[in-house]
Amino acid sequence: MTWDYFVFLGNNPRLQETLTLPEDLAGGFVDEVSVRLFEGVKEEDRKRYVQSAGKTFTLPDLISQTKPNFSSLPSSTWLAFQVDFELLTPWYSKDDRVFHLLDNPVRKDRVFGVPFMAASSWKGMLRWVCRMQAGLREHLEKQGGKMDDWRDPDWILHLFGNEKGEGEEFSRGALVLYPTWFDKIGFEVINPHSRERRAGTQPIYYEVVPPGAKGTLSLLYAPWPGMKPAAKPRDVIPKLLEAVEDLLTTYGISAKRTVGWGTAKITEWRAFHKTHGSTQKQSRNDLYQGIQSWLS
């Protein structure tokens, strides 16, 4: 059926799909423009896609309704956090869609067409920042850049659990993360230059979430009785909050963070507890001062 649709598009060169943002970025419009690009004048079809998709849009209701509600946590040992941020540099994560007119489309939900950062990506990056706090940089310098003999300290295992592939004594961590959705799409061009002619060779297009887009990181700290390895909230929560700030403001959350993409400024911190309610602050230190009495 899929291939029949592409043949249909190829046999009807005058047919143009209309674009309704953001849903059609996961459907027929992208297929139609991609077929035209590979059949015809590439620059015109690429320009049509860029002008149509590079906009701000409203998130679908079903996505807005999936935003976690931490106002009624079931246990007094649980803590929830939400961190609002605004991108200072472009965010990019490569989409796994096979057929696309761009070499580097941004990752989107397959149903809603909305750019998003997956919960698994948040978890992986936060674990890495926590490891840097625990001395991973020094370990890599000693081991020639290899992870050989590295063991996560107990507080990292407590938060994130074992990594996939560890068959023995596998356990999940106390931290639950949620995806972040974005409501803007933009485009960036990287144009590598020839050292001899000092001129651009072949421009590389990136579909991105542009600077100025806003997002929210949601985390739930939910340890259970008898959990191993155990840890005291007073020990792990400050490290976790510091890792969140370092990740967003220093390291960046983009797949191309080595060139400075994906950095953000944090605009608000919020915390939630079953008996203490909620609080919101402008800085990490103020938030932690406000919740210290919550940590038993």
Side-chain angles (χ1 to χ4, degrees):
M1 186 66 183
T2 302
W3 297 109
D4 290 343
Y5 177 62
F6 291 130
V7 171
F8 171 76
L9 290 174
N11 291 335
N12 294 273
R14 294 186 177 181
L15 175 67
Q16 286 196 346
E17 297 278 0
T18 57
L19 173 63
T20 301
L21 287 173
E23 292 87 349
D24 287 336
L25 291 177
F29 175 78
V30 177
D31 294 330
E32 188 265 314
V33 179
S34 299
V35 168
R36 305 295 174 232
L37 181 137
F38 287 106
E39 283 186 335
V41 182
K42 295 187 177 182
E43 197 57 40
E44 290 184 2
D45 293 306
R46 184 180 290 113
K47 185 176 180 181
R48 179 184 163 211
Y49 179 84
V50 168
Q51 291 179 341
S52 301
K55 298 177 181 177
T56 302
F57 48 84
T58 303
L59 293 179
D61 290 341
L62 284 175
I63 286 182
S64 300
Q65 293 167 7
T66 59
K67 187 176 181 180
N69 181 0
F70 296 134
S71 62
S72 57
L73 295 177
S75 171
S76 59
T77 62
W78 291 14
L79 282 168
F81 300 96
Q82 287 184 325
V83 185
D84 293 339
F85 63 87
E86 180 178 333
L87 290 174
L88 298 177
T89 54
W91 178 84
Y92 171 75
S93 179
K94 189 175 178 63
D95 200 6
D96 55 4
R97 186 184 181 112
V98 176
F99 189 55
H100 199 285
L101 73 161
L102 297 178
D103 292 331
N104 302 291
V106 71
R107 187 175 189 181
K108 305 183 195 70
D109 180 86
R110 291 188 178 184
V111 175
F112 300 108
V114 176
F116 78 108
M117 182 163 170
S120 57
S121 298
W122 279 117
K123 183 176 181 180
M125 289 186 180
L126 271 177
R127 180 199 290 268
W128 178 78
V129 176
C130 288
R131 283 174 167 172
M132 296 299 279
Q133 285 184 14
L136 178 60
R137 182 190 302 276
E138 294 77 8
H139 177 84
L140 292 174
E141 289 174 354
K142 292 179 181 177
Q143 299 294 328
K146 297 181 180 179
M147 292 283 290
D148 296 351
D149 300 325
W150 170 262
R151 280 184 57 84
D152 285 331
D154 284 350
W155 69 272
I156 292 181
L157 293 175
H158 174 79
L159 287 174
F160 300 97
N162 301 104
E163 286 191 301
K164 287 184 177 179
E166 294 192 25
E168 296 182 0
E169 299 182 358
F170 180 81
S171 63
R172 60 169 299 170
L175 198 60
V176 179
L177 294 113
Y178 298 80
T180 295
W181 307 91
F182 297 105
D183 62 357
K184 289 184 179 179
I185 288 179
F187 295 89
E188 295 284 339
V189 179
I190 296 177
N191 194 4
H193 279 52
S194 167
R195 293 186 177 181
E196 297 177 352
R197 294 185 289 112
R198 297 183 178 180
T201 52
Q202 178 66 43
I204 303 171
Y205 291 86
Y206 281 86
E207 187 180 31
V208 301
V209 176
K214 298 177 180 177
T216 300
L217 166 61
S218 299
L219 313 92
L220 175 65
Y221 173 69
W224 59 90
M227 182 179 181
K228 293 182 179 179
K232 297 179 180 178
R234 285 185 179 277
D235 294 333
V236 297
I237 295 302
K239 295 175 181 175
L240 174 63
L241 296 180
E242 183 181 354
V244 169
E245 186 172 63
D246 287 349
L247 176 61
L248 284 167
T249 63
T250 303
Y251 293 110
I253 56 175
S254 173
K256 291 187 71 63
R257 58 186 180 277
T258 53
V259 295
W261 285 12
T263 56
K265 66 176 181 181
I266 296 175
T267 55
E268 186 172 89
W269 298 77
R270 295 189 295 278
F272 304 84
H273 188 267
K274 179 181 180 180
T275 56
H276 296 285
S278 63
T279 184
Q280 57 189 49
K281 301 292 182 182
Q282 298 302 310
S283 73
R284 172 174 61 88
N285 289 333
D286 289 345
L287 182 83
Y288 184 64
Q289 292 296 323
I291 66 171
Q292 283 201 48
S293 61
W294 302 6
L295 307 178
S296 57

Coordinates of all heavy atoms in Angstrom, one line a residue, residues 85 91-96 106-110 114-127 160 164 176-182 209 216-219 247-248 253-255:
F85 N 12.2 25.9 30.3 CA 13.4 26.5 29.7 C 13.1 27.0 28.3 O 12.1 26.7 27.7 CB 14.5 25.4 29.6 CG 14.2 24.2 28.7 CD1 14.4 24.2 27.3 CD2 13.6 23.1 29.2 CE1 14.1 23.2 26.5 CE2 13.3 22.0 28.4 CZ 13.5 22.0 27.1
W91 N 18.0 23.3 18.5 CA 17.9 21.9 19.0 C 17.7 21.0 17.8 O 16.8 21.2 17.0 CB 16.8 21.7 20.0 CG 16.7 20.3 20.5 CD1 17.4 19.8 21.5 CD2 15.8 19.3 20.0 NE1 17.0 18.4 21.7 CE2 16.1 18.1 20.7 CE3 14.9 19.2 19.0 CZ2 15.4 16.9 20.5 CZ3 14.2 18.0 18.7 CH2 14.5 16.9 19.5
Y92 N 18.5 19.9 17.8 CA 18.4 19.0 16.7 C 18.6 17.6 17.2 O 19.4 17.3 18.0 CB 19.4 19.3 15.6 CG 19.5 18.2 14.6 CD1 18.5 18.1 13.6 CD2 20.5 17.3 14.6 CE1 18.6 17.1 12.6 CE2 20.6 16.3 13.6 CZ 19.6 16.2 12.6 OH 19.6 15.2 11.7
S93 N 17.7 16.7 16.8 CA 17.9 15.2 16.9 C 17.4 14.6 15.7 O 16.3 14.9 15.2 CB 17.1 14.7 18.2 OG 17.2 13.3 18.3
K94 N 18.2 13.7 15.1 CA 17.8 13.2 13.7 C 16.6 12.3 13.8 O 16.5 11.4 14.6 CB 19.0 12.4 13.2 CG 18.8 12.0 11.7 CD 20.1 11.4 11.2 CE 19.9 11.0 9.7 NZ 19.7 12.1 8.8
D95 N 15.7 12.6 12.9 CA 14.5 11.7 12.7 C 14.9 10.4 12.1 O 15.8 10.3 11.3 CB 13.4 12.5 11.9 CG 12.1 11.9 12.1 OD1 11.9 11.0 12.9 OD2 11.1 12.3 11.4
D96 N 14.1 9.3 12.4 CA 14.4 8.0 11.8 C 13.5 7.7 10.6 O 13.4 6.6 10.1 CB 14.3 6.9 12.8 CG 13.0 6.9 13.5 OD1 12.1 7.7 13.1 OD2 12.8 6.1 14.4
V106 N 14.4 16.9 11.6 CA 14.4 16.9 13.0 C 13.4 15.8 13.5 O 12.4 15.4 12.8 CB 13.9 18.2 13.6 CG1 12.5 18.5 13.4 CG2 14.3 18.3 15.1
R107 N 13.7 15.2 14.6 CA 12.9 14.1 15.1 C 11.5 14.6 15.5 O 11.3 15.6 16.2 CB 13.5 13.5 16.4 CG 12.8 12.2 16.9 CD 13.5 11.6 18.0 NE 12.9 10.3 18.3 CZ 13.3 9.5 19.3 NH1 14.3 9.9 20.1 NH2 12.8 8.4 19.6
K108 N 10.5 13.8 14.9 CA 9.1 14.2 15.2 C 8.3 12.9 15.6 O 8.7 11.8 15.3 CB 8.4 14.8 13.9 CG 9.2 15.9 13.3 CD 8.4 16.5 12.1 CE 9.3 17.4 11.3 NZ 10.4 16.7 10.6
D109 N 7.2 13.2 16.3 CA 6.3 12.1 16.6 C 5.7 11.5 15.4 O 5.3 12.3 14.5 CB 5.2 12.6 17.6 CG 4.2 11.5 18.0 OD1 4.5 10.8 18.9 OD2 3.2 11.4 17.3
R110 N 5.6 10.2 15.3 CA 5.1 9.6 14.0 C 3.6 9.8 13.7 O 3.2 9.7 12.6 CB 5.4 8.1 14.1 CG 6.9 7.8 14.0 CD 7.1 6.3 13.9 NE 8.5 6.0 13.8 CZ 9.0 4.8 13.5 NH1 8.1 3.7 13.4 NH2 10.3 4.5 13.5
V114 N 4.9 16.4 15.6 CA 5.4 17.4 16.5 C 6.9 17.0 16.9 O 7.1 15.9 17.3 CB 4.6 17.5 17.8 CG1 5.2 18.5 18.7 CG2 3.2 17.9 17.4
P115 N 7.8 18.0 16.8 CA 9.2 17.7 17.3 C 9.2 17.5 18.8 O 8.5 18.1 19.5 CB 9.9 19.1 17.0 CG 9.1 19.8 16.0 CD 7.7 19.4 16.2
F116 N 9.9 16.5 19.2 CA 10.0 16.1 20.6 C 11.3 15.5 21.0 O 12.0 14.9 20.2 CB 8.8 15.2 21.0 CG 9.1 13.7 20.6 CD1 9.3 12.8 21.6 CD2 9.0 13.3 19.3 CE1 9.6 11.5 21.2 CE2 9.3 12.0 18.9 CZ 9.5 11.1 19.9
M117 N 11.6 15.7 22.3 CA 12.8 15.0 22.8 C 12.3 13.9 23.7 O 11.5 14.1 24.6 CB 13.6 16.0 23.7 CG 14.9 15.4 24.2 SD 16.1 16.6 24.8 CE 17.2 15.6 25.7
A118 N 12.7 12.7 23.4 CA 12.2 11.5 24.0 C 12.6 11.4 25.5 O 13.7 11.9 25.8 CB 12.6 10.2 23.3
A119 N 11.8 10.7 26.3 CA 12.2 10.5 27.7 C 13.5 9.8 27.8 O 14.4 10.0 28.7 CB 11.1 9.8 28.4
S120 N 13.7 8.8 26.9 CA 15.0 8.0 26.9 C 16.2 8.9 26.7 O 17.3 8.6 27.2 CB 14.9 6.9 25.9 OG 14.6 7.4 24.6
S121 N 16.0 9.9 25.8 CA 17.1 10.8 25.5 C 17.5 11.7 26.8 O 18.7 11.9 27.1 CB 16.8 11.8 24.4 OG 16.6 11.0 23.2
W122 N 16.4 12.2 27.4 CA 16.7 12.9 28.7 C 17.4 12.0 29.7 O 18.4 12.5 30.3 CB 15.3 13.3 29.3 CG 14.7 14.6 28.7 CD1 13.5 14.7 28.1 CD2 15.2 15.9 28.8 NE1 13.3 15.9 27.7 CE2 14.3 16.7 28.1 CE3 16.4 16.5 29.3 CZ2 14.5 18.1 28.0 CZ3 16.6 17.8 29.2 CH2 15.6 18.6 28.5
K123 N 17.0 10.8 29.8 CA 17.6 9.9 30.8 C 19.0 9.6 30.5 O 19.9 9.7 31.4 CB 16.8 8.6 30.8 CG 17.3 7.6 31.9 CD 16.5 6.3 32.0 CE 17.0 5.4 33.1 NZ 16.2 4.2 33.1
G124 N 19.4 9.4 29.2 CA 20.7 9.1 28.8 C 21.6 10.3 29.1 O 22.8 10.2 29.6
M125 N 21.2 11.5 28.7 CA 22.0 12.7 28.9 C 22.2 13.1 30.4 O 23.2 13.5 30.8 CB 21.4 13.9 28.2 CG 21.4 13.8 26.7 SD 20.8 15.2 25.8 CE 21.1 14.8 24.1
L126 N 21.1 12.9 31.2 CA 21.2 13.2 32.6 C 22.2 12.2 33.3 O 22.9 12.6 34.2 CB 19.8 13.2 33.3 CG 19.0 14.5 33.3 CD1 17.7 14.3 33.9 CD2 19.8 15.6 34.0
R127 N 22.1 11.0 32.9 CA 23.0 10.0 33.5 C 24.5 10.4 33.2 O 25.3 10.3 34.0 CB 22.7 8.6 32.9 CG 23.6 7.5 33.5 CD 23.6 6.3 32.6 NE 22.4 5.5 32.7 CZ 22.2 4.5 33.6 NH1 23.1 4.2 34.4 NH2 21.0 3.9 33.5
F160 N 19.1 6.0 38.2 CA 18.9 5.6 36.8 C 18.8 4.1 36.6 O 18.5 3.6 35.5 CB 20.0 6.2 36.0 CG 20.1 7.7 36.0 CD1 21.0 8.3 36.8 CD2 19.3 8.4 35.1 CE1 21.0 9.7 36.8 CE2 19.3 9.8 35.1 CZ 20.2 10.5 36.0
K164 N 21.0 -1.0 30.0 CA 20.5 -2.1 29.2 C 21.7 -3.1 28.9 O 22.8 -2.6 28.6 CB 19.9 -1.7 27.9 CG 18.5 -1.0 28.1 CD 17.9 -0.7 26.7 CE 16.6 -0.1 26.9 NZ 16.0 0.3 25.6
V176 N 11.8 8.8 36.9 CA 11.0 8.7 35.7 C 11.0 10.0 35.0 O 10.8 11.0 35.6 CB 9.5 8.3 36.1 CG1 8.7 8.2 34.9 CG2 9.5 7.0 37.0
L177 N 11.3 9.9 33.7 CA 11.3 11.1 32.9 C 10.2 11.1 31.8 O 9.7 10.0 31.4 CB 12.7 11.3 32.3 CG 13.8 11.5 33.3 CD1 14.7 10.4 33.3 CD2 14.5 12.8 33.0
Y178 N 9.9 12.3 31.3 CA 8.8 12.4 30.4 C 9.3 13.2 29.1 O 10.3 13.9 29.2 CB 7.6 13.2 31.0 CG 7.0 12.6 32.2 CD1 7.6 12.7 33.5 CD2 5.9 11.8 32.1 CE1 7.1 12.0 34.6 CE2 5.3 11.2 33.2 CZ 5.9 11.3 34.4 OH 5.4 10.7 35.5
P179 N 8.7 13.0 28.0 CA 9.1 13.7 26.8 C 8.8 15.1 26.8 O 8.0 15.6 27.6 CB 8.3 13.0 25.7 CG 7.1 12.4 26.3 CD 7.5 12.1 27.7
T180 N 9.6 15.9 26.1 CA 9.4 17.3 25.9 C 9.0 17.6 24.5 O 9.6 17.2 23.5 CB 10.7 18.1 26.3 OG1 11.0 17.9 27.6 CG2 10.5 19.6 26.0
W181 N 7.9 18.4 24.4 CA 7.3 18.7 23.0 C 7.7 20.2 22.7 O 7.7 21.0 23.6 CB 5.8 18.5 23.0 CG 5.4 17.2 23.5 CD1 5.1 16.8 24.7 CD2 5.3 16.0 22.7 NE1 4.8 15.5 24.8 CE2 4.9 14.9 23.5 CE3 5.4 15.8 21.3 CZ2 4.6 13.7 23.0 CZ3 5.2 14.5 20.8 CH2 4.8 13.4 21.7
F182 N 7.9 20.4 21.4 CA 8.2 21.8 21.0 C 7.2 22.2 19.9 O 6.7 21.4 19.2 CB 9.6 21.9 20.3 CG 10.7 21.5 21.3 CD1 11.4 20.3 21.2 CD2 11.1 22.5 22.3 CE1 12.4 20.0 22.1 CE2 12.2 22.2 23.1 CZ 12.8 20.9 23.1
V209 N 14.6 22.8 15.9 CA 13.8 23.6 16.7 C 14.6 24.9 17.0 O 15.7 24.8 17.5 CB 13.4 22.9 18.0 CG1 12.6 23.9 18.9 CG2 12.6 21.6 17.7
T216 N 9.5 22.1 28.5 CA 9.5 21.8 29.9 C 10.0 20.4 30.1 O 9.6 19.4 29.5 CB 8.0 21.8 30.5 OG1 7.5 23.1 30.3 CG2 8.0 21.4 31.9
L217 N 11.0 20.3 31.1 CA 11.5 19.0 31.5 C 10.7 18.5 32.7 O 10.7 19.3 33.7 CB 13.0 19.1 31.8 CG 13.6 17.9 32.5 CD1 13.5 16.6 31.7 CD2 15.1 18.2 32.8
S218 N 10.1 17.4 32.7 CA 9.4 16.8 33.8 C 10.1 15.6 34.4 O 10.4 14.7 33.6 CB 7.9 16.5 33.4 OG 7.3 17.6 33.0
L219 N 10.3 15.6 35.7 CA 10.9 14.4 36.3 C 10.1 14.0 37.6 O 9.6 14.8 38.3 CB 12.3 14.8 36.8 CG 13.3 15.5 35.9 CD1 13.2 17.0 36.1 CD2 14.7 15.0 36.2
L247 N 23.2 20.4 32.5 CA 22.8 19.8 31.2 C 22.2 20.9 30.3 O 22.6 21.1 29.1 CB 21.8 18.7 31.3 CG 21.3 18.1 30.0 CD1 22.4 17.5 29.2 CD2 20.2 17.0 30.4
L248 N 21.2 21.7 30.8 CA 20.5 22.6 30.0 C 21.4 23.9 29.7 O 21.3 24.4 28.6 CB 19.3 23.1 30.7 CG 18.1 22.1 30.7 CD1 17.0 22.4 31.7 CD2 17.5 22.0 29.3
I253 N 21.4 20.0 25.1 CA 20.6 18.8 25.0 C 20.4 18.3 23.6 O 19.6 17.4 23.3 CB 19.2 19.0 25.6 CG1 18.5 20.2 24.9 CG2 19.3 19.2 27.1 CD1 17.1 20.4 25.4
S254 N 21.1 18.9 22.6 CA 21.0 18.6 21.2 C 22.0 17.5 20.8 O 23.0 17.3 21.5 CB 21.2 19.8 20.4 OG 21.2 19.5 19.0
A255 N 21.6 16.8 19.7 CA 22.5 15.8 19.2 C 23.8 16.4 18.7 O 24.8 15.7 18.6 CB 21.9 15.0 18.1

